[in-house]
PDB file of all heavy atoms in Angstrom:
ATOM      1  N   GLY I1301     -33.526 -23.216 -23.319  1.00  0.00           N
ATOM      2  CA  GLY I1301     -33.356 -22.000 -22.530  1.00  0.00           C
ATOM      3  C   GLY I1301     -32.339 -22.180 -21.421  1.00  0.00           C
ATOM      4  O   GLY I1301     -31.490 -21.299 -21.170  1.00  0.00           O
ATOM      5  N   LEU I1302     -32.415 -23.345 -20.744  1.00  0.00           N
ATOM      6  CA  LEU I1302     -31.447 -23.622 -19.673  1.00  0.00           C
ATOM      7  C   LEU I1302     -30.029 -23.715 -20.223  1.00  0.00           C
ATOM      8  O   LEU I1302     -29.077 -23.187 -19.624  1.00  0.00           O
ATOM      9  CB  LEU I1302     -31.828 -24.922 -18.958  1.00  0.00           C
ATOM     10  CG  LEU I1302     -33.097 -24.876 -18.094  1.00  0.00           C
ATOM     11  CD1 LEU I1302     -33.432 -26.269 -17.564  1.00  0.00           C
ATOM     12  CD2 LEU I1302     -32.912 -23.899 -16.927  1.00  0.00           C
ATOM     13  N   ILE I1303     -29.895 -24.393 -21.365  1.00  0.00           N
ATOM     14  CA  ILE I1303     -28.565 -24.528 -21.968  1.00  0.00           C
ATOM     15  C   ILE I1303     -27.995 -23.170 -22.356  1.00  0.00           C
ATOM     16  O   ILE I1303     -26.813 -22.885 -22.132  1.00  0.00           O
ATOM     17  CB  ILE I1303     -28.637 -25.458 -23.195  1.00  0.00           C
ATOM     18  CG1 ILE I1303     -28.939 -26.898 -22.744  1.00  0.00           C
ATOM     19  CG2 ILE I1303     -27.327 -25.419 -23.977  1.00  0.00           C
ATOM     20  CD1 ILE I1303     -29.159 -27.866 -23.893  1.00  0.00           C
ATOM     21  N   CYS I1304     -28.844 -22.314 -22.923  1.00  0.00           N
ATOM     22  CA  CYS I1304     -28.393 -20.962 -23.313  1.00  0.00           C
ATOM     23  C   CYS I1304     -27.944 -20.162 -22.087  1.00  0.00           C
ATOM     24  O   CYS I1304     -26.920 -19.467 -22.104  1.00  0.00           O
ATOM     25  CB  CYS I1304     -29.504 -20.216 -24.049  1.00  0.00           C
ATOM     26  SG  CYS I1304     -29.849 -20.870 -25.696  1.00  0.00           S
ATOM     27  N   SER I1305     -28.731 -20.256 -20.983  1.00  0.00           N
ATOM     28  CA  SER I1305     -28.384 -19.523 -19.764  1.00  0.00           C
ATOM     29  C   SER I1305     -27.056 -19.994 -19.194  1.00  0.00           C
ATOM     30  O   SER I1305     -26.194 -19.189 -18.822  1.00  0.00           O
ATOM     31  CB  SER I1305     -29.493 -19.695 -18.716  1.00  0.00           C
ATOM     32  OG  SER I1305     -30.719 -19.200 -19.188  1.00  0.00           O
ATOM     33  N   VAL I1306     -26.890 -21.319 -19.123  1.00  0.00           N
ATOM     34  CA  VAL I1306     -25.629 -21.867 -18.606  1.00  0.00           C
ATOM     35  C   VAL I1306     -24.463 -21.467 -19.504  1.00  0.00           C
ATOM     36  O   VAL I1306     -23.375 -21.121 -19.020  1.00  0.00           O
ATOM     37  CB  VAL I1306     -25.723 -23.403 -18.483  1.00  0.00           C
ATOM     38  CG1 VAL I1306     -24.366 -23.994 -18.134  1.00  0.00           C
ATOM     39  CG2 VAL I1306     -26.755 -23.789 -17.432  1.00  0.00           C
ATOM     40  N   SER I1307     -24.684 -21.489 -20.821  1.00  0.00           N
ATOM     41  CA  SER I1307     -23.618 -21.121 -21.756  1.00  0.00           C
ATOM     42  C   SER I1307     -23.190 -19.675 -21.567  1.00  0.00           C
ATOM     43  O   SER I1307     -21.992 -19.357 -21.578  1.00  0.00           O
ATOM     44  CB  SER I1307     -24.081 -21.341 -23.200  1.00  0.00           C
ATOM     45  OG  SER I1307     -24.413 -22.707 -23.421  1.00  0.00           O
ATOM     46  N   ILE I1308     -24.170 -18.786 -21.388  1.00  0.00           N
ATOM     47  CA  ILE I1308     -23.856 -17.372 -21.172  1.00  0.00           C
ATOM     48  C   ILE I1308     -23.042 -17.190 -19.892  1.00  0.00           C
ATOM     49  O   ILE I1308     -22.061 -16.434 -19.852  1.00  0.00           O
ATOM     50  CB  ILE I1308     -25.152 -16.540 -21.122  1.00  0.00           C
ATOM     51  CG1 ILE I1308     -25.819 -16.512 -22.501  1.00  0.00           C
ATOM     52  CG2 ILE I1308     -24.855 -15.116 -20.648  1.00  0.00           C
ATOM     53  CD1 ILE I1308     -27.180 -15.860 -22.509  1.00  0.00           C
ATOM     54  N   MET I1309     -23.437 -17.901 -18.824  1.00  0.00           N
ATOM     55  CA  MET I1309     -22.712 -17.798 -17.556  1.00  0.00           C
ATOM     56  C   MET I1309     -21.283 -18.312 -17.696  1.00  0.00           C
ATOM     57  O   MET I1309     -20.344 -17.705 -17.169  1.00  0.00           O
ATOM     58  CB  MET I1309     -23.452 -18.589 -16.475  1.00  0.00           C
ATOM     59  CG  MET I1309     -24.802 -17.992 -16.083  1.00  0.00           C
ATOM     60  SD  MET I1309     -25.714 -19.036 -14.920  1.00  0.00           S
ATOM     61  CE  MET I1309     -24.599 -19.038 -13.521  1.00  0.00           C
ATOM     62  N   VAL I1310     -21.102 -19.420 -18.408  1.00  0.00           N
ATOM     63  CA  VAL I1310     -19.763 -19.983 -18.593  1.00  0.00           C
ATOM     64  C   VAL I1310     -18.885 -19.037 -19.407  1.00  0.00           C
ATOM     65  O   VAL I1310     -17.721 -18.798 -19.076  1.00  0.00           O
ATOM     66  CB  VAL I1310     -19.850 -21.363 -19.274  1.00  0.00           C
ATOM     67  CG1 VAL I1310     -18.453 -21.840 -19.687  1.00  0.00           C
ATOM     68  CG2 VAL I1310     -20.504 -22.375 -18.340  1.00  0.00           C
ATOM     69  N   VAL I1311     -19.442 -18.470 -20.478  1.00  0.00           N
ATOM     70  CA  VAL I1311     -18.683 -17.540 -21.315  1.00  0.00           C
ATOM     71  C   VAL I1311     -18.276 -16.305 -20.515  1.00  0.00           C
ATOM     72  O   VAL I1311     -17.146 -15.818 -20.614  1.00  0.00           O
ATOM     73  CB  VAL I1311     -19.504 -17.142 -22.557  1.00  0.00           C
ATOM     74  CG1 VAL I1311     -18.820 -15.987 -23.300  1.00  0.00           C
ATOM     75  CG2 VAL I1311     -19.666 -18.333 -23.486  1.00  0.00           C
ATOM     76  N   ALA I1312     -19.223 -15.798 -19.701  1.00  0.00           N
ATOM     77  CA  ALA I1312     -18.917 -14.625 -18.877  1.00  0.00           C
ATOM     78  C   ALA I1312     -17.801 -14.929 -17.887  1.00  0.00           C
ATOM     79  O   ALA I1312     -16.905 -14.109 -17.656  1.00  0.00           O
ATOM     80  CB  ALA I1312     -20.173 -14.170 -18.137  1.00  0.00           C
ATOM     81  N   LYS I1313     -17.837 -16.122 -17.282  1.00  0.00           N
ATOM     82  CA  LYS I1313     -16.798 -16.509 -16.326  1.00  0.00           C
ATOM     83  C   LYS I1313     -15.442 -16.644 -17.010  1.00  0.00           C
ATOM     84  O   LYS I1313     -14.414 -16.205 -16.490  1.00  0.00           O
ATOM     85  CB  LYS I1313     -17.179 -17.824 -15.652  1.00  0.00           C
ATOM     86  CG  LYS I1313     -16.221 -18.230 -14.542  1.00  0.00           C
ATOM     87  CD  LYS I1313     -16.712 -19.478 -13.824  1.00  0.00           C
ATOM     88  CE  LYS I1313     -15.736 -19.849 -12.705  1.00  0.00           C
ATOM     89  NZ  LYS I1313     -16.188 -21.068 -11.974  1.00  0.00           N
ATOM     90  N   ILE I1314     -15.437 -17.255 -18.196  1.00  0.00           N
ATOM     91  CA  ILE I1314     -14.181 -17.404 -18.944  1.00  0.00           C
ATOM     92  C   ILE I1314     -13.617 -16.036 -19.308  1.00  0.00           C
ATOM     93  O   ILE I1314     -12.405 -15.793 -19.214  1.00  0.00           O
ATOM     94  CB  ILE I1314     -14.409 -18.249 -20.211  1.00  0.00           C
ATOM     95  CG1 ILE I1314     -14.741 -19.698 -19.824  1.00  0.00           C
ATOM     96  CG2 ILE I1314     -13.184 -18.206 -21.119  1.00  0.00           C
ATOM     97  CD1 ILE I1314     -15.123 -20.574 -21.002  1.00  0.00           C
ATOM     98  N   HIS I1315     -14.494 -15.124 -19.719  1.00  0.00           N
ATOM     99  CA  HIS I1315     -14.052 -13.774 -20.075  1.00  0.00           C
ATOM    100  C   HIS I1315     -13.445 -13.069 -18.869  1.00  0.00           C
ATOM    101  O   HIS I1315     -12.390 -12.423 -18.984  1.00  0.00           O
ATOM    102  CB  HIS I1315     -15.240 -12.974 -20.615  1.00  0.00           C
ATOM    103  CG  HIS I1315     -14.910 -11.537 -20.912  1.00  0.00           C
ATOM    104  ND1 HIS I1315     -14.059 -11.164 -21.928  1.00  0.00           N
ATOM    105  CD2 HIS I1315     -15.307 -10.383 -20.299  1.00  0.00           C
ATOM    106  CE1 HIS I1315     -13.944  -9.850 -21.945  1.00  0.00           C
ATOM    107  NE2 HIS I1315     -14.693  -9.361 -20.976  1.00  0.00           N
ATOM    108  N   GLN I1316     -14.094 -13.203 -17.713  1.00  0.00           N
ATOM    109  CA  GLN I1316     -13.582 -12.561 -16.503  1.00  0.00           C
ATOM    110  C   GLN I1316     -12.236 -13.148 -16.107  1.00  0.00           C
ATOM    111  O   GLN I1316     -11.313 -12.433 -15.716  1.00  0.00           O
ATOM    112  CB  GLN I1316     -14.586 -12.719 -15.348  1.00  0.00           C
ATOM    113  CG  GLN I1316     -14.194 -11.941 -14.084  1.00  0.00           C
ATOM    114  CD  GLN I1316     -14.105 -10.458 -14.345  1.00  0.00           C
ATOM    115  OE1 GLN I1316     -14.996  -9.870 -14.965  1.00  0.00           O
ATOM    116  NE2 GLN I1316     -13.039  -9.840 -13.891  1.00  0.00           N
ATOM    117  N   ASN I1317     -12.122 -14.468 -16.218  1.00  0.00           N
ATOM    118  CA  ASN I1317     -10.849 -15.117 -15.888  1.00  0.00           C
ATOM    119  C   ASN I1317      -9.741 -14.664 -16.829  1.00  0.00           C
ATOM    120  O   ASN I1317      -8.596 -14.495 -16.428  1.00  0.00           O
ATOM    121  CB  ASN I1317     -10.988 -16.635 -15.955  1.00  0.00           C
ATOM    122  CG  ASN I1317     -11.757 -17.206 -14.769  1.00  0.00           C
ATOM    123  OD1 ASN I1317     -11.842 -16.559 -13.724  1.00  0.00           O
ATOM    124  ND2 ASN I1317     -12.323 -18.383 -14.933  1.00  0.00           N
ATOM    125  N   SER I1318     -10.099 -14.476 -18.094  1.00  0.00           N
ATOM    126  CA  SER I1318      -9.084 -14.028 -19.053  1.00  0.00           C
ATOM    127  C   SER I1318      -8.602 -12.622 -18.727  1.00  0.00           C
ATOM    128  O   SER I1318      -7.430 -12.294 -18.916  1.00  0.00           O
ATOM    129  CB  SER I1318      -9.651 -14.073 -20.480  1.00  0.00           C
ATOM    130  OG  SER I1318     -10.688 -13.118 -20.644  1.00  0.00           O
ATOM    131  N   LEU I1319      -9.522 -11.777 -18.209  1.00  0.00           N
ATOM    132  CA  LEU I1319      -9.119 -10.427 -17.804  1.00  0.00           C
ATOM    133  C   LEU I1319      -8.234 -10.484 -16.569  1.00  0.00           C
ATOM    134  O   LEU I1319      -7.246  -9.751 -16.451  1.00  0.00           O
ATOM    135  CB  LEU I1319     -10.359  -9.561 -17.520  1.00  0.00           C
ATOM    136  CG  LEU I1319     -11.224  -9.204 -18.728  1.00  0.00           C
ATOM    137  CD1 LEU I1319     -12.427  -8.388 -18.282  1.00  0.00           C
ATOM    138  CD2 LEU I1319     -10.413  -8.416 -19.753  1.00  0.00           C
ATOM    139  N   ASP I1320      -8.596 -11.349 -15.621  1.00  0.00           N
ATOM    140  CA  ASP I1320      -7.826 -11.457 -14.384  1.00  0.00           C
ATOM    141  C   ASP I1320      -6.452 -12.051 -14.622  1.00  0.00           C
ATOM    142  O   ASP I1320      -5.530 -11.853 -13.835  1.00  0.00           O
ATOM    143  CB  ASP I1320      -8.582 -12.323 -13.364  1.00  0.00           C
ATOM    144  CG  ASP I1320      -9.826 -11.622 -12.836  1.00  0.00           C
ATOM    145  OD1 ASP I1320      -9.895 -10.380 -12.961  1.00  0.00           O
ATOM    146  OD2 ASP I1320     -10.715 -12.318 -12.316  1.00  0.00           O
ATOM    147  N   HIS I1321      -6.303 -12.823 -15.684  1.00  0.00           N
ATOM    148  CA  HIS I1321      -5.042 -13.494 -15.932  1.00  0.00           C
ATOM    149  C   HIS I1321      -4.382 -12.989 -17.210  1.00  0.00           C
ATOM    150  O   HIS I1321      -3.632 -13.712 -17.859  1.00  0.00           O
ATOM    151  CB  HIS I1321      -5.240 -15.016 -16.005  1.00  0.00           C
ATOM    152  CG  HIS I1321      -5.702 -15.614 -14.710  1.00  0.00           C
ATOM    153  ND1 HIS I1321      -7.027 -15.655 -14.346  1.00  0.00           N
ATOM    154  CD2 HIS I1321      -5.000 -16.170 -13.688  1.00  0.00           C
ATOM    155  CE1 HIS I1321      -7.135 -16.232 -13.157  1.00  0.00           C
ATOM    156  NE2 HIS I1321      -5.930 -16.549 -12.731  1.00  0.00           N
ATOM    157  N   ALA I1322      -4.677 -11.733 -17.550  1.00  0.00           N
ATOM    158  CA  ALA I1322      -3.990 -11.132 -18.682  1.00  0.00           C
ATOM    159  C   ALA I1322      -2.526 -10.909 -18.307  1.00  0.00           C
ATOM    160  O   ALA I1322      -2.175 -10.821 -17.137  1.00  0.00           O
ATOM    161  CB  ALA I1322      -4.654  -9.806 -19.061  1.00  0.00           C
ATOM    162  N   PHE I1323      -1.681 -10.806 -19.316  1.00  0.00           N
ATOM    163  CA  PHE I1323      -0.252 -10.691 -19.062  1.00  0.00           C
ATOM    164  C   PHE I1323       0.290  -9.407 -19.677  1.00  0.00           C
ATOM    165  O   PHE I1323      -0.222  -8.915 -20.680  1.00  0.00           O
ATOM    166  CB  PHE I1323       0.506 -11.897 -19.634  1.00  0.00           C
ATOM    167  CG  PHE I1323       0.161 -13.191 -18.956  1.00  0.00           C
ATOM    168  CD1 PHE I1323      -0.873 -13.990 -19.420  1.00  0.00           C
ATOM    169  CD2 PHE I1323       0.866 -13.615 -17.844  1.00  0.00           C
ATOM    170  CE1 PHE I1323      -1.194 -15.189 -18.801  1.00  0.00           C
ATOM    171  CE2 PHE I1323       0.555 -14.805 -17.212  1.00  0.00           C
ATOM    172  CZ  PHE I1323      -0.469 -15.590 -17.683  1.00  0.00           C
ATOM    173  N   VAL I1324       1.326  -8.872 -19.040  1.00  0.00           N
ATOM    174  CA  VAL I1324       2.040  -7.724 -19.569  1.00  0.00           C
ATOM    175  C   VAL I1324       3.535  -8.046 -19.527  1.00  0.00           C
ATOM    176  O   VAL I1324       3.972  -8.962 -18.835  1.00  0.00           O
ATOM    177  CB  VAL I1324       1.753  -6.442 -18.761  1.00  0.00           C
ATOM    178  CG1 VAL I1324       0.303  -6.034 -18.873  1.00  0.00           C
ATOM    179  CG2 VAL I1324       2.143  -6.640 -17.287  1.00  0.00           C
ATOM    180  N   VAL I1325       4.304  -7.270 -20.272  1.00  0.00           N
ATOM    181  CA  VAL I1325       5.755  -7.438 -20.294  1.00  0.00           C
ATOM    182  C   VAL I1325       6.378  -6.244 -19.592  1.00  0.00           C
ATOM    183  O   VAL I1325       6.082  -5.092 -19.946  1.00  0.00           O
ATOM    184  CB  VAL I1325       6.270  -7.549 -21.745  1.00  0.00           C
ATOM    185  CG1 VAL I1325       7.792  -7.702 -21.758  1.00  0.00           C
ATOM    186  CG2 VAL I1325       5.611  -8.712 -22.455  1.00  0.00           C
ATOM    187  N   ASN I1326       7.228  -6.509 -18.594  1.00  0.00           N
ATOM    188  CA  ASN I1326       7.844  -5.411 -17.863  1.00  0.00           C
ATOM    189  C   ASN I1326       9.083  -4.907 -18.589  1.00  0.00           C
ATOM    190  O   ASN I1326       9.421  -5.351 -19.690  1.00  0.00           O
ATOM    191  CB  ASN I1326       8.184  -5.836 -16.425  1.00  0.00           C
ATOM    192  CG  ASN I1326       9.265  -6.904 -16.377  1.00  0.00           C
ATOM    193  OD1 ASN I1326       9.867  -7.247 -17.387  1.00  0.00           O
ATOM    194  ND2 ASN I1326       9.511  -7.420 -15.192  1.00  0.00           N
TER     195      ASN I1326
END
Side-chain angles (χ1 to χ4, degrees):
L1302 290 174
I1303 292 175
C1304 290
S1305 300
V1306 172
S1307 300
I1308 292 173
M1309 292 175 62
V1310 170
V1311 170
K1313 186 175 181 180
I1314 292 174
H1315 176 68
Q1316 186 61 47
N1317 286 339
S1318 67
L1319 292 178
D1320 290 341
H1321 296 85
F1323 295 90
V1324 295
V1325 179
N1326 66 7

